[in-house]
Amino acid sequence: MRAFTFEAHIPRTIFGQGTLKQVGDEIKRLNCKRVLLITQDNERQMALAHEVRDIIGEANVAGICVDAVMHTPEDVTTKALAYAKSINADGLVSLGGGSTVGLAKALAVRTGWPHVAVPTTYAGSEATPVLGETVNGLKTTRSDPKILPNTIVYDVDLTLTMPAFLTFPSGINALAHCVEALYSATLNPIIEGVGLSGITQIYHALLKLKDAPTDVDARADALGGAWAAGVCLAHVGMGLHHKLCHTLGGSFGLPHAETHTVVLPHAMGYNYSAAKGAMEKIEHAIGSSDKAPTAFWNLEKKLGTPMSLKELGLKKEDLAKAADIASKAQYPNPAPLDREKLLTLLENAWEGNPPA
Ligand code: NAD
């Protein structure tokens, strides 16, 4: 028997095609009169911000902030907060991936303003009350109910043109949230169902998107799976895989989704025997006769994602330091954390070898 305590916190969620048009109604619902649109400084994201400004109406948009960058540096937040206050904003709309949602969360927790998140990747941050912030090069994570967005608007149309180099690592990033939920020490039956459904949806959707990147049903499955993944991440503790990725991203500056992609099969291999029940459920969910870590490694090969930490720019001499950091931190994980075994895992991931 598994005992558990569970309290669900899932934002109001709108999912479909063309749902971007509903952002204006959601803003009104939250009694916001002057929202700050948050996005990134590139043509695609700016065009999206202008489209949303037209939907909401110029009078209800106080300004556009394009400063969102990965890992939510505190100086960027401080500047954005000063700007938001100077234009008398009273609400936040984030338009983009995890980096953009992260900046809006950082502002929401400092102001208490409502936040409508419009995600355009599969990172899953929009469904969590968790915020990672970087101060003086050190990334720390905190959780607060005020960090959880009030509403998520998922519009499948916004993902149709996502390029392969973003789609596949971002999809594997979402898979990782579901996988680690399934062997979490704080798992409960609801999240187990959510995690397995996320894995099934994302795994098959990514395979379809390889040949048909604009297939609406596959895009909907990938985005719906990403929502499930975010719900998993929000409700149960993650293990070794997330710790390693946090270390590699935070201390060595590796890119977020790509790092998750390279590490996932290896972290699953490390935990395989200690979490055999969860692994077998994953194998059943994706219909694989291979062991789950091999099945995911093969999936990544087929999708053409990065396969090694070497190609992400990690220096070989940093592996020992990464193993030290990951083995020193205390967190629940199915297999005991052993520095030498972690170093072997990292060496295999660095070389791009198949998982153990
Ligand atoms: P990202 O938000 O940095 O986006 C990556 C790039 O893709 C950017 O250049 C962006 O402009 C572009 N982009 C976004 N959507 C696009 C689309 N549909 N088509 C084309 N280009 C698009 O990357 P990410 O992986 O989504 O997010 C990573 C960040 O999110 C990290 O800082 C990570 O720590 C954070 N994160 C936080 C949580 C949480 O719960 N706190 C969960 C997951 C990720």
Side-chain angles (χ1 to χ4, degrees):
M1 189 208 80
R2 180 196 287 275
F4 62 85
T5 304
F6 180 56
E7 193 175 327
H9 296 285
I10 303 177
R12 173 178 162 86
T13 302
I14 294 171
F15 188 98
Q17 255 191 297
T19 48
L20 194 63
K21 291 200 171 56
Q22 290 174 240
V23 170
D25 293 340
E26 292 306 310
I27 295 303
K28 273 191 209 131
R29 213 178 152 267
L30 292 163
N31 291 320
C32 295
K33 306 228 164 7
R34 291 178 55 78
V35 293
L36 175 67
L37 306 184
I38 300 173
T39 191
Q40 289 185 313
D41 191 9
N42 61 52
E43 206 178 315
R44 189 189 177 283
Q45 304 301 99
M46 282 305 294
L48 177 59
H50 292 149
E51 193 181 343
V52 170
R53 188 179 57 192
D54 291 345
I55 289 168
I56 298 176
E58 226 163 299
N60 294 315
V61 174
I64 301 178
C65 167
V66 296
D67 294 339
V69 290
M70 212 170 266
H71 306 310
T72 331
E74 196 188 37
D75 52 333
V76 172
T77 302
T78 305
K79 188 176 149 214
L81 184 60
Y83 172 61
K85 287 191 169 161
S86 76
I87 56 174
N88 296 319
D90 64 1
L92 304 157
V93 178
S94 57
L95 306 159
S99 300
T100 303
V101 174
L103 177 55
K105 284 174 156 183
L107 296 180
V109 73
R110 285 165 173 78
T111 58
W113 294 339
H115 172 194
V116 175
V118 184
T120 61
T121 70
Y122 305 133
S125 176
E126 64 281 358
T128 83
V130 179
L131 172 63
E133 294 182 287
T134 310
V135 184
N136 299 326
L138 195 73
K139 189 169 175 180
T140 53
T141 301
R142 60 172 155 152
S143 185
D144 187 312
K146 276 198 287 182
I147 293 172
L148 188 70
N150 300 70
T151 306
I152 310 172
V153 177
Y154 287 110
D155 187 338
V156 176
D157 284 344
L158 300 180
T159 64
L160 291 179
T161 56
M162 203 195 289
F165 70 83
L166 179 63
T167 296
F168 299 133
S170 193
I172 305 280
N173 183 194
L175 274 179
H177 306 330
C178 299
V179 167
E180 289 235 294
L182 290 181
Y183 54 62
S184 172
T186 48
L187 183 65
N188 63 67
I190 296 278
I191 294 300
E192 182 173 59
V194 172
L196 283 169
S197 109
I199 288 173
T200 311
Q201 279 187 294
I202 299 166
Y203 180 88
H204 294 295
L206 296 184
L207 282 172
K208 272 193 217 150
L209 291 171
K210 171 77 181 149
D211 297 321
T214 56
D215 183 305
V216 173
D217 290 335
R219 285 287 178 192
D221 280 352
L223 195 58
W227 179 51
V231 169
C232 287
L233 184 61
H235 289 91
V236 297
M238 299 284 122
L240 171 67
H241 169 79
H242 280 74
K243 186 67 212 168
L244 280 176
C245 294
H246 187 86
T247 301
L248 292 167
S251 302
F252 302 99
L254 297 200
H256 179 82
E258 290 80 358
T259 304
H260 274 266
T261 301
V262 171
V263 172
L264 183 62
H266 298 280
M268 290 171 74
Y270 188 99
N271 278 329
Y272 192 86
S273 305
K276 199 141 188 297
M279 296 294 173
E280 284 170 356
K281 284 179 187 164
I282 295 171
E283 288 152 14
H284 182 72
I286 60 175
S288 172
S289 53
D290 287 323
K291 286 183 170 177
T294 305
F296 280 26
W297 196 77
N298 289 340
L299 170 72
E300 293 178 359
K301 278 243 159 205
K302 269 190 211 144
L303 299 176
T305 66
M307 299 301 293
S308 69
L309 295 176
K310 184 167 40 177
E311 69 194 280
L312 299 185
L314 186 70
K315 294 197 202 94
K316 195 166 190 182
E317 54 268 31
D318 285 335
L319 294 176
K321 197 171 153 199
D324 284 342
I325 300 173
S327 55
K328 270 188 199 129
Q330 291 303 309
Y331 49 92
N333 185 65
L337 301 172
D338 175 284
R339 189 204 175 269
E340 291 317 301
K341 286 187 188 159
L342 284 177
L343 184 56
T344 305
L345 179 168
L346 285 166
E347 282 167 352
N348 280 329
W350 190 82
E351 285 289 355
N353 293 334

